[in-house]
Amino acid sequence: MGRGGAPKDRSDGPSRKCIATGEVQPKHGLIRFVVGPDNQVVPDILGKLPGRGIWVAADRGALETAAKKRLFSRGAKAQVSVPDTLVEEVERQLAHRVVELISLQRKAGKAVAGYEKVKSWLQMEEAEVLIQASDGSGRGKSKLSTPHFGTYIGWLTADELGLAFGRQTVIHGALASGGLTQRVVEEAQRLKGVRKNEGGNGHPKG
């Protein structure tokens, strides 16, 4: 994982071309879409739906451009319909995916929540990723710093983190290395690009 939230470069991995920007980049930085039976564009967050993939960078501006300029029809080589709420649906599915992955890490013993537990993990250098709610107190979040060479995620809400950790709300969380942590970081980066207010008032650097 790179510092400040960016995953390590995977330039040797499979790449695809964004229909909005024309740039070729690794698949984990793009959103895959397919055309459903009703000729409507459907986001394929997991990359498993059947059909020809149409790829757009995980960036809100790129997604809006693709929708407004009918680039999905060009990518599909056919007339397709694009829901008005497509960008919001992509954001919703990405957020759900990140929450799901964090939850799996928690069940595997590789994630903790709560200021004291997170602080302890940081002091013992067990934490690889610091997660803080975008709507949490900036003063409270500033007391914790991202692990050296670790990653900071600060654009999930307290309610979303609460779902991930089986609580009502969560402000501070941490992930250990291994397991699904790299996947959490990659999916969180995609969400950051799509989310309007990605937040993050903590200390992104260790």
Side-chain angles (χ1 to χ4, degrees), residues 71-139:
L71 300 182
F72 284 106
S73 292
R74 187 185 302 174
K77 297 182 179 178
Q79 286 299 316
V80 298
S81 62
V82 180
D84 292 337
T85 58
L86 184 68
V87 179
E88 287 72 21
E89 179 62 18
V90 169
E91 180 182 340
R92 186 193 68 78
Q93 290 191 26
L94 282 173
H96 176 78
R97 178 62 176 157
V98 176
V99 166
E100 181 182 53
L101 289 170
I102 294 172
S103 180
L104 290 171
Q105 283 295 76
R106 173 179 63 86
K107 292 171 183 176
K110 289 185 173 291
V112 294
Y115 179 83
E116 293 300 332
K117 286 186 178 179
V118 172
K119 182 180 179 181
S120 176
W121 268 32
L122 289 168
Q123 289 175 338
M124 295 187 294
E125 299 186 352
E126 288 189 28
E128 174 127 348
V129 179
L130 173 63
I131 309 172
Q132 294 182 312
S134 58
D135 48 351
S137 161
R139 183 177 178 183

Side-chain angles (χ1 to χ4, degrees), residues 4-188:
K8 284 183 180 177
D9 179 34
R10 279 197 187 174
S11 55
D12 56 341
S15 299
R16 294 293 185 271
K17 185 176 182 179
C18 170
I19 62 170
T21 66
E23 295 178 358
V24 176
Q25 59 175 298
K27 285 168 62 175
H28 64 78
L30 298 152
I31 309 292
R32 183 179 188 262
F33 295 85
V34 296
V35 180
D38 55 356
N39 283 332
Q40 183 164 284
V41 173
V42 178
D44 179 22
I45 300 302
L46 298 180
K48 294 182 178 180
L49 292 178
R52 174 189 174 133
I54 304 169
W55 299 83
V56 183
D59 175 82
R60 194 175 190 90
L63 290 167
E64 290 173 345
T65 296
K68 289 176 183 175
K69 295 190 175 181
R70 303 183 183 275
L71 300 182
F72 284 106
S73 292
R74 187 185 302 174
K77 297 182 179 178
Q79 286 299 316
V80 298
S81 62
V82 180
D84 292 337
T85 58
L86 184 68
V87 179
E88 287 72 21
E89 179 62 18
V90 169
E91 180 182 340
R92 186 193 68 78
Q93 290 191 26
L94 282 173
H96 176 78
R97 178 62 176 157
V98 176
V99 166
E100 181 182 53
L101 289 170
I102 294 172
S103 180
L104 290 171
Q105 283 295 76
R106 173 179 63 86
K107 292 171 183 176
K110 289 185 173 291
V112 294
Y115 179 83
E116 293 300 332
K117 286 186 178 179
V118 172
K119 182 180 179 181
S120 176
W121 268 32
L122 289 168
Q123 289 175 338
M124 295 187 294
E125 299 186 352
E126 288 189 28
E128 174 127 348
V129 179
L130 173 63
I131 309 172
Q132 294 182 312
S134 58
D135 48 351
S137 161
R139 183 177 178 183
K141 291 190 292 185
S142 68
K143 295 177 181 179
L144 299 175
S145 294
T146 304
H148 193 55
F149 295 119
T151 304
Y152 180 75
I153 296 172
W155 43 94
L156 291 163
T157 66
D159 287 341
E160 288 169 337
L161 288 177
L163 286 173
F165 285 99
R167 303 183 184 183
Q168 188 170 355
T169 58
V170 166
I171 303 299
H172 310 281
L175 303 177
S177 61
L180 296 168
T181 290
Q182 178 64 28
R183 294 280 297 281
V184 173
V185 172
E186 290 176 356
E187 295 298 332

